[in-house]
Amino acid sequence: MADTPRKLTRADWAKSPDAWAGHFEGKSLGTDVTVLFVEIEEAGKGARLHTHPYDEVFIVREGRARYTIGDQKIEAEAGDVLLAPAEVPHKFVNLGPGRLVSTDIHLSLEWIQTDLE
């Protein structure tokens, strides 16, 4: 764990200077949490089925999505928070209209993903 304050600039994690999309791994801050900032503009697009060896928390900040977590299909909208437990296959798709914006918290110091599709 971090023993002193640390800072990342937008250039350290953002995909572009004008979008809230990108990620940082916890090890860059000396902590056990990796954060993904997700923006998906197009309805029907999203993440393919995958797993992680740790829990993942999804915070839907804008838009609507259908999450498949294990055998469950869950529709979520802005303000909803979901959990994908460790080793449980999951994916999501933007339902539209408009963009999907989420903050995804990986309870790990690094991003570890096994793609299943």
Side-chain angles (χ1 to χ4, degrees):
M1 295 292 171
D3 55 359
T4 59
R6 298 183 186 171
K7 174 185 174 180
L8 298 176
T9 66
R10 184 179 194 87
D12 294 325
W13 62 265
K15 288 184 178 181
S16 70
D18 59 348
W20 274 87
H23 79 279
F24 67 85
E25 292 188 326
K27 61 187 176 185
S28 63
L29 287 175
T31 189
D32 293 335
V33 175
T34 293
V35 178
L36 281 64
F37 300 100
V38 176
E39 284 191 6
I40 299 176
E41 297 290 335
E42 189 176 337
K45 300 289 185 182
R48 294 183 175 159
L49 193 66
H50 61 277
T51 63
H52 308 286
Y54 48 77
D55 292 345
E56 181 175 6
V57 176
F58 303 97
I59 303 168
V60 181
R61 297 175 45 222
E62 181 180 327
R64 297 174 49 245
R66 179 178 303 111
Y67 289 81
T68 301
I69 303 173
D71 294 334
Q72 294 186 30
K73 293 192 184 313
I74 304 167
E75 289 197 14
E77 60 186 26
D80 291 343
V81 178
L82 297 93
L83 171 71
E87 303 297 348
V88 174
H90 56 280
K91 65 182 180 177
F92 62 88
V93 62
N94 179 3
L95 292 176
R99 69 182 181 162
L100 170 66
V101 178
S102 69
T103 300
D104 303 350
I105 302 169
H106 293 231
L107 300 179
S108 172
L109 61 92
E110 61 186 343
W111 186 0
I112 304 167
Q113 180 168 307
T114 301
D115 292 328
L116 303 174
E117 292 182 329

